[in-house]
Amino acid sequence: MITNKTLKAIEYDKIMALVSSCAVLERTKKDFLAFLPITNLTDCVSLLNRTDEAFRLLYEFSLPKIYYFSEIDDELSRVDKGGVLNFSELLKVAENLKSARVIKTAFSSVNDGSFTYLSPVFLELFTSLELEKDITSKIISEDEISDNASNKLYEIRKSIRDINAKIRSQLASYMRGNSNKFLQDSVVTIRQDRYVIPVK
């Protein structure tokens, strides 16, 4: 049995801190720091075989690196309870879907049947190109959604643009007509989301 004294003697905490620094996700970093040496031979062989297969994928088959993705456990849990995600959270979901799709497709292209330990891991990856595209085509950024997100939204925004054009046209007519003498400048500006013309 490995004791804390033994771990301290071999500076195990420093080793795992170095390994943890290579991880991208915070949860993975914590898992590395909490990991303790395994003494069961069967478990050791299993982990070594996984490591060997991962090494082969990276250096023999040149499998591409995994795209960065954010952890979305909280978001998925909220959705499971009937919650709604905002733009930023939906983009995180699309980010995860893309990462899973790219690495799963790459693995499928090189899998020769010899990856006994890692095949089940890749098979469990959920992908949905349709959902991924649905999110990225409709959400432009964390603060903006595309006009084409829905027919109703497109109609509303088009109506708003038409109304704004009519307002600007009307204000422009004031500047060209008799009212021009009361204006300080022939410029239409916007203040607090309202159109403004400078009066003397």
Side-chain angles (χ1 to χ4, degrees):
M1 180 177 178
I2 299 177
T3 64
N4 289 332
K5 183 178 181 180
T6 302
L7 295 177
K8 187 175 182 180
I10 64 174
E11 297 187 329
Y12 181 78
D13 57 334
K14 292 182 180 179
I15 296 172
M16 294 314 295
L18 181 61
V19 173
S20 175
S21 68
C22 297
V24 174
L25 301 180
E26 288 302 317
R27 185 175 63 184
T28 309
K29 291 178 184 290
K30 292 177 182 178
D31 288 344
F32 274 128
L33 293 175
F35 183 82
L36 294 175
I38 294 175
T39 56
N40 181 280
L41 179 60
T42 302
D43 292 339
C44 286
V45 171
S46 176
L47 288 177
L48 285 172
N49 285 331
R50 287 190 180 202
T51 302
D52 179 62
E53 288 186 4
F55 180 89
R56 287 175 54 218
L57 282 174
L58 288 172
Y59 297 103
E60 290 182 24
F61 293 87
S62 299
L63 203 71
K65 66 178 182 179
I66 299 174
Y67 278 87
Y68 174 80
F69 58 92
S70 304
E71 296 182 50
I72 57 172
D73 290 359
D74 292 341
E75 287 81 358
L76 293 179
S77 177
R78 195 160 72 252
V79 168
D80 195 44
K81 296 175 183 176
V84 178
L85 303 184
N86 59 34
F87 295 167
S88 175
E89 291 167 333
L90 284 169
L91 288 174
K92 285 182 181 179
V93 172
E95 194 177 55
N96 274 256
L97 289 170
K98 178 182 179 181
S99 181
R101 173 178 56 80
V102 170
I103 197 66
K104 189 172 185 177
T105 301
F107 176 74
S108 298
S109 67
V110 301
N111 186 13
D112 58 1
S114 64
F115 297 98
T116 309
Y117 292 87
L118 292 184
S119 285
V121 176
F122 284 95
L123 287 174
E124 288 182 5
L125 289 176
F126 173 78
T127 60
S128 174
L129 183 58
E130 182 181 0
L131 177 57
E132 182 187 332
K133 286 184 175 179
D134 203 30
I135 294 173
T136 54
S137 66
K138 294 179 179 178
I139 300 177
I140 299 174
S141 69
E142 295 182 0
D143 307 307
E144 186 178 3
I145 190 168
S146 169
D147 289 353
N148 298 316
S150 72
N151 292 333
K152 187 64 176 178
L153 179 61
Y154 177 80
E155 292 172 4
I156 291 172
R157 288 187 172 176
K158 183 177 183 304
S159 176
I160 291 173
R161 286 194 294 268
D162 291 343
I163 292 172
N164 283 334
K166 289 179 181 179
I167 293 173
R168 295 185 75 91
S169 177
Q170 185 63 48
L171 291 175
S173 71
Y174 293 153
M175 295 178 178
R176 293 192 300 268
N178 296 329
S179 302
N180 185 44
K181 60 184 178 181
F182 300 110
L183 302 179
Q184 185 173 343
D185 198 355
S186 299
V187 177
V188 177
T189 57
I190 297 178
R191 295 288 184 273
Q192 296 180 349
D193 297 326
R194 298 186 181 188
Y195 287 104
V196 176
I197 53 177
V199 180
K200 288 182 181 179

